[in-house]
Amino acid sequence: MEQIELYEEGWESFPWWWILLENLLFFVPWAIGFVGIYPLQIAGVPVVSLAYILFAFVTVGWLLRVHNCTACYYYDKWCHLGWGKYTALFWKKDSGNPETGAKLAVVYMILPLIPIVGMIAVMLFWGFSWPLLVMLVVFIALNGVQFAVLRPKGCERCKRRYTCFGSAAK
């Protein structure tokens, strides 16, 4: 890997509470999305929910980790999600392709659309539901906090703030 310029004031390691909070705001919306689109079933099987969660885990938990995290400064370190440590357990350093990772990151950005469209479809086809509407609002709010607040704050403290293609720091 080529030498990259690091942000000197960036955190060498993120604190445990940050990693826990960001992971909660990462995985709780997935759970809400799974439950919200659960009524979209084929022969009694929640195919849409299962496909959504499988898609999320494969793209975010595997493909993005191998292509983005194996080439990151935080490989085998405590990054904002702690996934540098997770990545080091399963993949060798620089074993992915960051260009592929950049393209796959678009998937991560559109992932919330699946439950949003799905929950709206459930309410349109099976009738309005206050609990489902609340879940939809909470899902949108948590994703908003994750994308607009927490992720940019993490990127502001990242050593790769200026060189990461996915940096949300201003």
Side-chain angles (χ1 to χ4, degrees):
M1 184 170 122
E2 66 185 56
Q3 187 65 22
I4 56 172
E5 183 180 329
L6 298 177
Y7 175 53
E8 287 184 29
E9 296 173 28
W11 290 355
E12 188 67 33
S13 179
F14 281 73
W16 68 268
W17 59 267
W18 185 290
I19 296 166
L20 178 64
L21 176 64
E22 195 159 351
N23 273 287
L24 281 173
L25 286 172
F26 200 83
F27 289 109
V28 168
W30 287 7
I32 293 170
F34 180 88
V35 171
I37 59 179
Y38 194 86
L40 300 174
Q41 298 183 6
I42 297 173
V45 178
V47 175
V48 178
S49 287
L50 293 171
Y52 164 69
I53 209 70
L54 180 65
F55 182 65
F57 278 114
V58 168
T59 57
V60 178
W62 176 48
L63 293 173
L64 288 176
R65 294 317 108 217
V66 73
H67 291 297
N68 292 338
C69 296
T70 61
C72 183
Y73 172 80
Y74 289 99
Y75 176 84
D76 202 22
K77 296 179 184 175
W78 293 107
C79 66
H80 65 111
L81 280 163
W83 289 12
K85 285 283 189 185
Y86 159 76
T87 300
L89 292 173
F90 297 102
W91 298 284
K92 293 180 181 172
K93 180 93 173 127
D94 297 321
S95 59
N97 181 340
E99 289 177 13
T100 301
K103 292 173 186 169
L104 287 170
V106 173
V107 170
Y108 165 68
M109 301 303 281
I110 64 169
L111 195 60
L113 294 178
I114 298 168
I116 291 170
V117 170
M119 286 188 244
I120 291 170
V122 168
M123 286 193 283
L124 288 175
F125 295 114
W126 283 275
F128 178 80
S129 164
W130 280 107
L132 188 56
L133 180 63
V134 169
M135 283 179 27
L136 178 60
V137 169
V138 170
F139 179 83
I140 292 169
L142 289 176
N143 274 283
V145 167
Q146 179 189 6
F147 282 115
V149 179
L150 202 56
R151 186 166 171 266
K153 291 291 183 193
C155 291
E156 287 173 6
R157 292 159 177 82
C158 179
K159 288 281 198 182
R160 292 211 39 220
R161 175 182 181 166
Y162 300 124
T163 58
C164 176
F165 67 85
S167 179
K170 295 180 179 174

